[in-house]
Amino acid sequence: MKVYLYNTMSRAVEEFKPISDEYVGMYCCGPTVYNYAHIGNLRTYIFEDTLKRVLRHAGYKVKHVMNITDVGHLTGDGDDGEDKMEKSARESGKTVWDIAKFYTDAFFKDYDSLNLIRPDVVCPATKHIGQMIKLIQRLEAGGHTYIAGGNVYFSIDTFPDYGKLAKLNLDELKSGARIDIDSNKRNPKDFVLWFTNSKFGEQAMMWDSPWGRGYPGWHIECSAMSMHYLGESFDIHCGGIDAIPVHHTNEIAQSEAATGKKWVNYWMHGEFLLSDKGKMSKSSGEFLTLSVLTNRGYNPLDYRYFCLGATYRTQLQFSYPGMDAAKTARAGLVERVASLGDQIADASAISEKTRSYMDQFDGFVCNDLGTPGALSVLWTMLKDESISNAEKKFAVNYMDQVLGLGLDAVKASGSGESDIPEEVMKLVSLRAEAKKNKDWTSADMYRKQIDDMGYLLKDTPTGPSLQKKV
Ligand code: AMP
Ligand code: ZN
């Protein structure tokens, strides 16, 4: 199965060709853990999960690496503002380490409840300072850095391709540049690799380095960790569209300046989720989390359905009527799937008709993740009375590998288990996942929630069993 993806670098849809037969290397910029993820951030992770699922569906093994930014991300992407973690710690009276732990856990709770497949490698920046220092030393040896005011800067004038991803016009940028707050910079677009004598003397997270005690800039972490886990050249790098002009531009400059090689083959970016006031962002105040939605009675998978209803490269306006429509549609899907019974046709017995729906589905998802078209194929297939329920069930499972709407776990009506609400079943699987990750606190919390919903959960040698409390 061929997969076609839009590459931000070429501004074109290209056939995907991996570097190696072994696996597809995919790096996704992860959260800055100073606050809860908002549902705009989560839209980006849903897009990345869909990409990973499509690649797996097409037969590739994917090595998915995601960082956790727990140091160095300032409130302004261009080295201005305050450290986001420090600010959050100060405002809440906690330590930066507590803040990082708390919001990383909260992030993965959202991640699991959206049925996102966890990355193969999750790498916190604070655990990879050594790799960052080595990369900076390599850049230093190549003459790409300078030290000013105690900080180590990357000099963009030493990298002629600077700005190629964003198609920045450097001459225009220079003449139009605002007076930079950081007067140490030779070029306003230069950026910090390592802070020592920075404006944040009281920074809690600091490490020794050849340039003095300090901490890394934000961009260097993604270059250092992605290369550490995926090699000096890898297949796909993803993120939100806002990362293009500064963060990803700087990542490319420092990675390719260090290695002299092309770093990433496919750049993919998810468009924004919009609130009434424009881009949803933590600073605009218009900031919705997943728990705001669940408190209003939506299932996290309703939000996943809402996002899949638009292609990842278009802006998506958030609205409650839109969420209501997604909720109704998903409930309809679940009901239809439940009514199919529990017989699944064998792969060898699939008719041409069903096969053609599956092919149409693949045609959509393999063409730059066309999820709206894919959803409509699923609906048409379910409504087609000329194919058997057992075949429909087979096709639903096939399609849900990509959609991730939990349809493969829907129990047949009348099977006994269907009387158990879906929310309870979801909590059971979240608890199983938490146990697998030895996250006992979350596992206990889920058990308590199951209990509160009127169900008794018992662990048996064949797995958990559920009983309605009388
Ligand atoms: P952050 O935790 O702020 O570093 O952001 C995590 C991810 O969410 C990044 O890839 C951002 O580009 C992305 N992002 C931020 N705001 C939005 C939004 N309104 N819609 C979609 N993605 C976003
Ligand atoms: Zn990044």
Side-chain angles (χ1 to χ4, degrees), residues 284-456:
S284 73
E286 193 70 28
F287 172 1
L288 289 179
T289 59
L290 200 57
S291 46
V292 171
L293 300 189
T294 49
N295 288 340
R296 288 179 76 135
Y298 299 104
N299 183 300
L301 294 180
D302 296 334
Y303 182 62
R304 185 173 180 120
Y305 191 100
F306 175 78
C307 291
L308 295 180
T311 52
Y312 75 95
R313 282 203 292 128
T314 50
Q315 294 192 334
L316 177 60
Q317 179 73 49
F318 178 80
S319 73
Y320 283 110
M323 277 300 294
D324 290 340
K327 182 177 174 165
T328 308
R330 200 183 65 84
L333 268 185
V334 168
E335 204 179 301
R336 272 176 192 272
V337 175
S339 74
L340 295 177
D342 47 18
Q343 300 281 317
I344 301 183
D346 190 74
S348 60
I350 297 299
S351 64
E352 239 170 70
K353 189 79 186 282
T354 308
R355 186 70 56 197
S356 88
Y357 282 121
M358 286 155 55
D359 289 348
Q360 275 179 51
F361 179 91
D362 290 344
F364 278 113
V365 293
C366 292
N367 182 12
D368 198 29
L369 323 184
T371 49
L375 280 176
S376 76
V377 175
L378 169 62
W379 275 106
T380 313
M381 188 272 300
L382 283 170
K383 287 179 189 164
D384 187 336
E385 286 174 7
S386 74
I387 55 178
S388 73
N389 283 352
E391 286 197 32
K392 282 183 184 172
K393 207 144 161 76
F394 180 91
V396 164
N397 288 357
Y398 179 87
M399 296 178 189
D400 202 54
Q401 282 175 4
V402 173
L403 300 172
L405 291 168
L407 300 177
D408 54 349
V410 172
K411 296 284 180 283
S413 345
S415 69
E417 278 185 82
S418 61
D419 301 331
I420 299 167
E422 209 190 317
E423 275 73 16
V424 175
M425 292 309 291
K426 186 77 210 169
L427 289 168
V428 172
S429 66
L430 285 174
R431 177 175 171 269
E433 187 64 31
K435 278 179 67 181
K436 210 169 88 197
N437 296 317
K438 299 196 176 15
D439 179 358
W440 310 117
T441 321
S442 303
D444 287 347
M445 185 194 75
Y446 292 131
R447 179 199 279 278
K448 165 101 184 36
Q449 287 176 11
I450 293 166
D451 198 74
D452 290 347
M453 291 173 89
Y455 287 84
L456 193 67

Side-chain angles (χ1 to χ4, degrees), residues 29-34 38-45 48 69 73 84 218 238-243 270-274 279-282:
C29 292
T32 307
V33 284
Y34 69 106
H38 59 61
I39 57 172
N41 302 134
L42 296 175
R43 182 188 183 201
T44 296
Y45 300 109
E48 291 162 352
T69 300
H73 194 172
K84 291 186 180 188
W218 171 39
C238 304
I241 198 155
D242 52 339
E271 252 293 356
F272 288 143
L273 180 79
L274 304 179
K279 178 201 164 194
M280 186 166 292
S281 77
K282 291 173 193 171

